[in-house]
Amino acid sequence: MATAVNSEITNMQNQTAYFNHANSSTKTNSTDDSNMFLTLMLQQLQNQDPTQPTDNTEWLAQLAQYSSLEQMAQMNTNLSNCMGYLSNFYNDSAANSEITQTLALVGKEVSIKIPAADSESGKDEYVSGSVSEASFEDGTGKVKVGDKYYSIANIVTVKDKTVSNETTKTTI
């Protein structure tokens, strides 16, 4: 009778493999796998040899494996959700950081390097002046110096307007 059970399980596995191959456009998910596991276990229980029933420890081991499989599938789903959340958080915080850095430049004296490819003379040029505005185009911070906007990636130096370059000497 034990060979009949093994034969039945093998037959079911072959049918399942044939069905999955025939319907290759559909993917199996953890629910399908769980249902298959329970179906096989139920078939094994129904078709066991009454004179030599399956040992209780074997059933408990199979149930423990099933429980572990379910917990791992749930943990995998939760970790995927967590990674998605962390990725969104990282992207949002990076964007907020660039916004904050760009806004902090308003009112500061900056020197900006205009690369040769972008300059009218074909050579590297430098522009200095006070930042009067900050804006965000195409996801990039831009500052207005004079009447033009420049990318913050081209800023070479930043100075606070209130700090004087001269040192004063006081005599008491």
Side-chain angles (χ1 to χ4, degrees):
M1 189 74 168
T3 57
V5 171
N6 289 336
S7 175
E8 182 66 27
I9 291 172
T10 303
N11 187 23
M12 290 177 71
Q13 288 172 337
N14 290 339
Q15 288 176 352
T16 303
Y18 175 77
F19 178 77
N20 287 341
H21 179 68
N23 298 320
S24 61
S25 64
T26 60
K27 294 182 179 178
T28 61
N29 57 27
S30 63
T31 305
D32 293 339
D33 292 341
S34 299
N35 289 339
M36 186 187 315
F37 180 85
L38 290 175
T39 302
L40 288 173
M41 194 168 153
L42 183 60
Q43 287 295 323
Q44 185 180 4
L45 181 63
Q46 290 174 346
N47 295 317
Q48 68 179 327
D49 184 2
T51 61
Q52 295 178 339
T54 306
D55 187 23
N56 288 340
T57 56
E58 188 176 328
W59 291 112
L60 289 175
Q62 288 181 5
L63 285 174
Q65 286 177 341
Y66 175 73
S67 176
S68 294
L69 174 68
E70 287 294 312
Q71 289 174 357
M72 285 189 285
Q74 184 65 34
M75 185 170 56
N76 189 25
T77 301
N78 290 341
L79 284 174
S80 294
N81 292 342
C82 183
M83 289 301 297
Y85 173 76
L86 288 175
S87 176
N88 289 338
F89 177 75
Y90 175 76
N91 291 337
D92 289 346
S93 65
N96 288 339
S97 175
E98 184 174 352
I99 290 169
T100 303
Q101 289 175 354
T102 304
L103 292 175
L105 293 172
V106 174
K108 305 279 177 142
E109 291 287 328
V110 295
S111 293
I112 300 169
K113 179 181 179 180
I114 303 171
D118 296 335
S119 71
E120 294 173 9
S121 67
K123 297 179 181 177
D124 288 348
E125 295 179 8
Y126 290 87
V127 174
S128 295
S130 177
V131 176
S132 59
E133 288 182 35
S135 69
F136 302 92
E137 292 180 26
D138 303 325
T140 304
K142 304 220 185 258
V143 292
K144 185 175 183 182
V145 176
D147 59 348
K148 287 187 169 184
Y149 285 92
Y150 301 95
S151 172
I152 63 169
N154 295 335
I155 295 176
V156 179
T157 61
V158 178
K159 290 189 247 179
D160 193 355
K161 278 181 156 184
T162 60
V163 176
S164 173
N165 290 335
E166 299 175 354
T167 56
T168 56
K169 211 181 221 184
T170 308
T171 310
I172 301 183

